[in-house]
Amino acid sequence: MSALRSDEVLMLSYRDGDLAAFAELYRRHSQGLYLFLTWRSPRREWVNDIMQDSWANLHQARARYEPGASFRTYLFQIARNRLIDLIRLNERVLLASDGGEDDWFEHVADAAHEGLAPDGELERKQQASHLHAMIRQLPVDQREALVLQQFNGMSLEEIAELVAAPVETVKSRLRYAMRKLRQELAPAAEEARA
């Protein structure tokens, strides 16, 4: 049964032609990969293309797959590399962008958390929206590490491998990100207590 098999075992099975193993990998990781790309991509129209490219590249590379890093790190690295390529190819376009992606991001962020908050909890949605806005304002490296850890459940080691940085650097990025978020949230928390 595939639910009991690790991602790496599933990928090896897929490498050997087991399409049900691929379906299970997709089921396990498509939402997390989509959320990662949503947070990381500067353009909303790229997210679906990168998703498709990532799974297609995984399919093309399956014959060469050897478990080294975790499967999730392997998959996210494929997607991250594709995103970096797109950013490099479109640097001038991005610099000239008007930044009108906020409405789209708010929609995706709300949709991702809709199941967590029952209808009528307007205050909670406003707090989540405020938190998302603060996360968006973090430096890219800090935001990436925070999203990978908090929204994708990656370990420090997995993040370090994915971003090709030492574990201590990842820890620092997370520490700075959390410090900045706490500083931004502190006034709102004190206001709520008053």
Side-chain angles (χ1 to χ4, degrees):
M1 173 156 240
S2 63
L4 302 176
R5 295 192 289 175
S6 72
D7 292 338
E8 294 74 25
V9 169
L10 285 170
M11 185 60 192
L12 289 171
S13 295
Y14 174 52
R15 179 187 71 182
D16 296 337
D18 182 356
L19 294 180
F22 172 80
E24 179 63 16
L25 287 168
Y26 185 84
R27 185 194 65 74
R28 289 181 185 182
H29 297 287
S30 61
Q31 183 178 12
L33 184 63
Y34 186 83
L35 287 173
F36 168 69
L37 290 170
T38 299
W39 280 97
R40 184 73 167 79
S41 178
R43 303 294 298 238
R44 71 175 176 194
E45 62 269 15
W46 292 357
V47 175
N48 288 330
D49 290 342
I50 296 170
M51 282 287 292
Q52 290 176 2
D53 289 350
S54 299
W55 290 105
N57 288 342
L58 178 74
H59 173 73
Q60 291 171 349
R62 75 190 183 285
R64 296 183 308 275
Y65 177 77
E66 289 297 329
S70 73
F71 170 78
R72 181 171 51 180
T73 301
Y74 182 77
L75 175 64
F76 278 53
Q77 187 66 57
I78 291 171
R80 186 174 185 270
N81 288 345
R82 180 65 182 122
L83 177 62
I84 289 169
D85 289 345
L86 277 174
I87 289 171
R88 286 182 184 146
L89 286 171
N90 293 282
E91 265 183 288
R92 289 188 186 128
V93 173
L94 292 173
L95 291 173
S97 175
D98 64 359
E101 302 288 317
D102 288 347
D103 291 339
W104 171 78
F105 179 83
E106 290 301 326
H107 170 73
V108 170
D110 287 344
H113 288 77
E114 214 167 77
L116 300 177
D119 291 337
E121 290 192 18
L122 179 60
E123 184 176 337
R124 185 170 172 177
K125 279 191 159 193
Q126 287 172 336
Q127 289 172 346
S129 179
H130 180 64
L131 178 61
H132 292 159
M134 289 187 305
I135 291 171
R136 274 196 321 266
Q137 292 177 11
L138 291 171
V140 172
D141 292 341
Q142 292 175 20
R143 183 175 63 229
E144 181 176 51
L146 184 76
V147 167
L148 288 169
Q149 184 192 49
Q150 297 297 315
F151 298 116
N152 294 99
M154 283 192 175
S155 69
L156 295 173
E157 293 76 16
E158 288 175 313
I159 297 168
E161 186 162 344
L162 178 63
V163 302
V167 171
E168 290 303 317
T169 301
V170 172
K171 284 182 185 177
S172 293
R173 290 173 183 173
L174 288 167
R175 190 170 39 255
Y176 290 131
M178 294 305 287
R179 184 180 303 150
K180 180 160 176 112
L181 292 176
R182 281 188 196 104
Q183 287 171 346
E184 294 290 327
L185 289 171
E190 290 199 20
E191 190 176 295
R193 280 187 228 137

